[in-house]
Amino acid sequence: MNNPVRVRFAPSPTGHLHIGGARTALFNWLFARHNNGTFILRIEDTDTGRSTDEYIDAILKGMEWLKLDWDEGPYRQTTRFDIYRGYVDRLLKEGKAYYCYCTPEELEQRRKDALAQGRTPKYDNRCRCLDGPVPGRTPAVRFMMPQEGRTTLNDLIKGPIEFENTVLEDMVIMRSDGTPTYNFVVVVDDIDMKITHVIRGDDHVNNTPKQIHIYKAFGWEAPEFAHLPMILGADKTRLSKRHGATSVVAYKDMGYFPDALINYLVRLGWAYGDQEVFTREELIRFFSLESVGKSAAVFNPEKLLWLNSQYVNKSASETLAEEVVPFLFRDGVISDALQPDKQWLSKAVASLKERSRTLVELAHSLRYYILDDVQIEPKARDKFLKPEHILYLSEMRELLSGISDFNGAEIEKAFVSLAERHQVKLGAVAQPARVAITGTTASPGIFEVVEIIGKQKILNRLSRVIGGD
């Protein structure tokens, strides 16, 4: 590459950062980092009717959570209107653009007429050769497209693409109210910001020939283009809310790790052999556009959940303990006045992380470690807290209360002793204890659980169940 790589992620702030946008941002970020280039964040907010500061903030927070740090920006197009007008004036002076006095109502009627006659709706260029202004009308500005020949594009992902220029209409680049249009400002921005590679979704492919001609009009070499395949839902339709959460922030709230989501997103259309789990350093080292597939990728929530579980399981317990605290606060399990000891919490987390796929699941499981009381599942109560089980629990309470050094080995001895006394299998006494202590039939090893919860809480819970509370 002759010029230093400069790429941009340019979201429109009409909604939160979604899965498709996040993947586009990630591929740009990886391409920049792999090539020691520059990653620019640009907010395309010219749609003033739908763009909001709230969505801009949400996009920035989503990027920050994913740790996709940008080198320049965020630039906002609404602060650059004077720049765009200068470029429009240049095209008008050079005879490469012209004033169009057609009203929206006239254009709509011509569109309907074309459809009724079986023709493709397209501007008929009637204002190209006007002798002067039309009184009483405020004009828009249209760009003069070539009317013959072909536009060729060598897409870095899709390969060679050709467009017939006859299908390109003289598009509006400045509306009658003075606001510029998307296909124009994106080119001006890419020129000003010296963008070398445009990596974006393939829903922009049809915009590309229009933009290429604007580059040519300014005598500027167009950047390289790479259009990413779409992301589809399991039903092979375009990914949308009906397929589950599409907002990046939603996955944060659901207890996913940013690195897990990054890892999953990069595999939606890119591969490096058979490897599934990558560190960020590996992704930067291995990433290339040549390894991006041409086919649409299918979003699989179960695969993402599995991948997140790998990150949960492999994380240090101390790190997980810190990460889970906000979720414990959110669930009301802890408060400013009641927070568990960090070392103790790490020990509790260590016993649960192999069973937890998300931080939400981990926080939920920690409830029976932290809360003074637990809610017992009705089915578990009916099956394992019958009168004969209450007898076991009563005797278990007496055995545990007599232990001075409350550790796993001594706790196990008490359980084994009780089972031998009643000549039953260990599970016959362990499962009722598990239900009474955790409220559920599934938990880590019961001896470990009893030790972590602590002697007094265990005795209190057994007493409540024995007493029928």
Side-chain angles (χ1 to χ4, degrees), residues 208-220:
T208 307
K210 306 170 189 175
Q211 295 169 8
I212 287 174
H213 287 296
I214 297 175
Y215 282 108
K216 288 181 178 179
F218 287 118
W220 193 270

Side-chain angles (χ1 to χ4, degrees), residues 198-249:
V198 173
I199 305 170
R200 58 189 181 186
D202 65 3
D203 52 330
H204 287 285
V205 167
N206 289 334
N207 289 325
T208 307
K210 306 170 189 175
Q211 295 169 8
I212 287 174
H213 287 296
I214 297 175
Y215 282 108
K216 288 181 178 179
F218 287 118
W220 193 270
E221 183 179 350
E224 299 271 15
F225 289 94
H227 289 93
L228 305 173
M230 294 184 68
I231 302 176
L232 305 178
D235 59 359
K236 302 301 174 66
T237 61
R238 185 168 183 170
L239 188 67
S240 65
K241 290 181 179 179
R242 70 176 181 277
H243 297 110
T246 60
S247 164
V248 165
V249 177

Side-chain angles (χ1 to χ4, degrees), residues 44 81-82 182 228 293 313 361 364 369 420 446 461:
E44 298 191 340
F81 277 7
D82 288 343
Y182 166 77
L228 305 173
N313 295 344
E361 290 184 2
H364 183 77
Y369 278 117
E420 290 175 347
I446 189 61
R461 290 183 192 179

Side-chain angles (χ1 to χ4, degrees), residues 429-447:
V429 297
Q431 196 66 344
R434 176 178 279 109
V435 171
I437 292 166
T438 69
T440 182
T441 57
S443 77
I446 189 61
F447 313 133

Side-chain angles (χ1 to χ4, degrees), residues 95-168:
K96 297 172 182 176
Y98 60 92
Y99 290 111
C100 174
Y101 293 88
C102 300
T103 66
E105 293 77 17
E106 290 170 341
L107 294 171
E108 177 60 19
Q109 185 58 52
R110 288 176 212 154
R111 187 188 73 83
K112 291 179 179 178
D113 292 344
L115 290 173
Q117 297 167 17
R119 294 184 288 109
T120 301
K122 179 185 173 185
Y123 183 64
D124 58 11
N125 299 346
R126 67 178 58 196
C127 290
R128 261 198 182 209
C129 301
L130 286 180
D131 294 332
V134 176
R137 293 192 179 185
T138 303
V141 178
R142 287 186 183 269
F143 177 77
M144 284 188 176
M145 285 288 178
Q147 296 181 298
E148 57 185 22
R150 294 178 177 179
T151 302
T152 59
L153 163 68
N154 186 27
D155 192 280
L156 296 178
I157 295 173
K158 293 181 172 296
I161 306 175
E162 281 194 347
F163 305 88
E164 295 290 342
N165 289 339
T166 54
V167 303
L168 303 177

